[in-house]
Amino acid sequence: MSEKIYDVSPEWASRAFIDDAKYQDMYARSVSDPNGFWGEQAQRIGWIKPFTKVENTSFAPGHISIKWFEDGVLNVAWNCIDRHLPDRAEQTAIIWEGDDPSDSRKISYRELHDEVCKFANILRSRNVQKGDRVTIYLPMIPEAAFAMLACARIGAIHSVVFAGFSPDSLAQRITDCQSKIVITADEGLRGGRKVPLKANVDAALKKCEGVDWVVVVKRTGADVFMDDVRDFWYAEAAEMVTTDCPCEPMHAEDPLFILYTSGSTGQPKGVLHTSGGYLVFAAMTHQYVFDYHDGDIYWCTADVGWVTGHSYILYGPLANGATTLMFEGVPNYPTNSRFWEVIDKHKVNIFYTAPTAIRALMQGGDEPVKKTSRKSLRLLGSVGEPINPEAWEWYHRVVGEDRCPIVDTWWQTETGGILITPLPGATKLKPGSATRPFFGVVPQILDADANVLEGECQGNLCLARSWPGQMRTVYGDHARFEQTYFSAYPGKYFTGDGCRRDADGYYWITGRVDDVINVSGHRMGTAEVESSLVAHAKVSEAAVVGYPHDIKGQGIYAYVTLMDGTEPTEELRKELVAWVRKDIGPIASPDLIQFAPSLPKTRSGKIMRRILRKIAEDEPSTLGDTSTLADPAVVEDLVEHRQNKR
Ligand code: 6R9
């Protein structure tokens, strides 16, 4: 681990909202008087009816219940748009930068209001009502933001499905939340390549029922199939509606959105977030972590299909009246300089991206960065996976020219917003550490026997109490919520992450300790990839683990046992990769497949993943205890035929 420490510069300590003394004070108050603290923080947003109660939460086994500001009434879209109209109607709300560098657009708060109202009226005209679910399968175009805010405006619950997911994955998510309407585009455009979104929706809808309407946004102008009854063009519908759409008053605990995320077992879970607490938390973290001041240009490179896009492209920034940049493209198109060119083009001050992108760009050397100015940059951020100190140093030295602090923000889909992070005016930085807890966050590190460890230690990361942005339930399955997050360590929320705390009380996230792998910052359940593989006629058994990958952080390593009599050929290997890619989506494609005559199992038939992980990581000397194996010879064969990293 890196031992370097970067002090807070005097300029940062004085310009930032929070310096170290203020952090200490506010943190102490946030844990000693959470009701007072959060009651005050909640005043940062507008309430139609003020709340009288702040926290009402329980992590008690059998009674998991999370409510914040529960008798308050608000509307999230009003807070993100209408509230700003008196002061900043002409200010840019969204800068949209297209895949093609010549394609960009600025949307003011007034235009955002009009577009969102039109979209909301289209939904209302199709009988979408408060509480109905709306599936959004869109590329990174402004209409994705309009659609999400339109749902929030009328109280519908959006479920955004990342546009890289396959028809089957989309169908599964539509079915789980019973959406009656799907919003998509003719095609997406990324890195010069087209993605057949409408065709994917058509394929998905062959596998699920109950969808009455498909709204299609024109992006590329491709000639796509349109069902006479079910499908209609967004632009045509938008001509029939007005730009006036009253906001639905919502209770703080009314759902805002569902976002599907992978876990250690079974199919992806619908993480449910509600209105009041989520918005307060997204807005507050956005302001303090990025030290967002009026007039700043802020860019988060995530996709709106992930939680980072929800909280830190859309809801947090817009609740703060910010200018937020939305980027349709990829870091290396048309060249490796694209990110830095966009920063110069739009004078970006705050830039938030993922370690996988940093590592990929770092491989291209310093020149593509150095040929750009980046003088507008003031702060850098990282999210999605642990950032290795080498990538951190490069990001700091080359991209930020030693002048921009880096906020390494740890959080999850489930947490709604950032929980462990430096604050740029308050926290000394250590490359690779997410540093200290945000206000109201009480991390604990536990050992396997559920002992809470003190001081310097390493173990499993739990959160001892609730915060307003916490997920409320798994959509339609509260028992699964309790089982997944509250059963390993009763009375605490278990994150699924391993963590070390150093002598300064800094937290170092070491990665997932469950059967979730983090590929390029995207979560993938090993069980999902396994069930896709075994669905192939030639596969008898499969076990999937993660292994260290230079760019992606983790790669997907699949051990596959074939049906008797099937030849393990290169061709079949390719076929299986393509199979999973088609079944789940490109992010789930195995990087390496090892054909295994059999898998290491205990005498009771359990696959010993610990051993498979060690082999994939090329650490056969640390296999540990193999005495419980039914057939120890299996391991030798696996070690001998281990696939090499590409
Ligand atoms: C926001 C987001 C969550 C998982 C999380 C952890 C990993 C995220 C991290 C990080 C180390 C960071 N993770 N940020 N690990 N340092 N700064 O990524 O949500 O897609 O749900 O993933 O990502 O393992 O548990 P999500």
Side-chain angles (χ1 to χ4, degrees), residues 308 384-386 408-413 497 509 512 518 523:
T308 307
E385 48 175 322
D408 175 0
T409 62
W410 174 85
W411 60 296
Q412 312 178 298
T413 306
D497 278 314
I509 309 294
R512 301 289 303 197
N518 193 323
R523 273 164 72 167

Side-chain angles (χ1 to χ4, degrees), residues 237-423:
E239 281 182 10
M240 324 278 280
V241 291
T242 70
T243 56
D244 183 26
C245 177
C247 293
E248 187 77 35
M250 304 292 285
H251 282 103
E253 287 301 336
D254 283 337
L256 177 63
F257 66 85
I258 299 166
L259 190 53
Y260 286 86
T261 192
S262 295
S264 8
T265 55
Q267 295 305 330
K269 302 177 283 287
V271 168
L272 185 86
H273 283 288
T274 56
S275 303
Y278 171 80
L279 192 67
V280 168
F281 198 70
M284 177 186 180
T285 47
H286 174 261
Q287 183 196 350
Y288 290 154
V289 174
F290 300 107
D291 197 51
Y292 188 88
H293 290 259
D294 263 355
D296 286 346
I297 309 288
Y298 162 88
W299 180 17
C300 164
T301 69
D303 190 286
V304 289
W306 309 113
V307 74
T308 307
H310 284 57
S311 301
Y312 299 113
I313 294 178
L314 212 62
Y315 289 117
L318 295 181
N320 290 335
T323 299
T324 179
L325 194 151
M326 187 173 179
F327 177 46
E328 187 183 34
V330 294
N332 58 357
Y333 178 83
T335 73
N336 264 339
S337 294
R338 185 67 190 276
F339 272 177
W340 328 121
E341 284 165 2
V342 173
I343 287 171
D344 287 349
K345 177 174 172 184
H346 298 292
K347 311 270 178 306
V348 171
N349 307 115
I350 303 161
F351 177 70
Y352 188 33
T353 195
T356 188
I358 300 165
R359 286 191 298 263
L361 293 169
M362 190 169 108
Q363 277 212 332
D366 299 1
E367 198 268 339
V369 189
K370 287 193 165 152
K371 69 194 242 198
T372 62
S373 150
R374 287 156 288 108
K375 71 170 191 295
S376 58
L377 273 184
R378 198 175 60 233
L379 179 66
L380 301 171
S382 171
V383 60
E385 48 175 322
I387 179 164
N388 47 311
E390 302 70 41
W392 194 104
E393 295 283 0
W394 184 82
Y395 196 28
H396 191 263
R397 177 174 49 81
V398 180
V399 177
E401 294 178 328
D402 291 318
R403 127 190 126 247
C404 308
I406 297 176
V407 287
D408 175 0
T409 62
W410 174 85
W411 60 296
Q412 312 178 298
T413 306
E414 293 88 339
T415 71
I418 295 165
L419 295 196
I420 302 182
T421 180
L423 299 181

Side-chain angles (χ1 to χ4, degrees), residues 599-611 623-635:
L599 297 172
K601 289 186 184 161
T602 60
R603 288 184 194 94
S604 64
K606 275 208 180 89
I607 294 177
M608 293 188 73
R609 292 165 170 286
R610 176 176 54 83
I611 292 178
L623 285 185
D625 182 15
T626 53
S627 62
T628 52
L629 278 175
D631 177 9
V634 168
V635 173

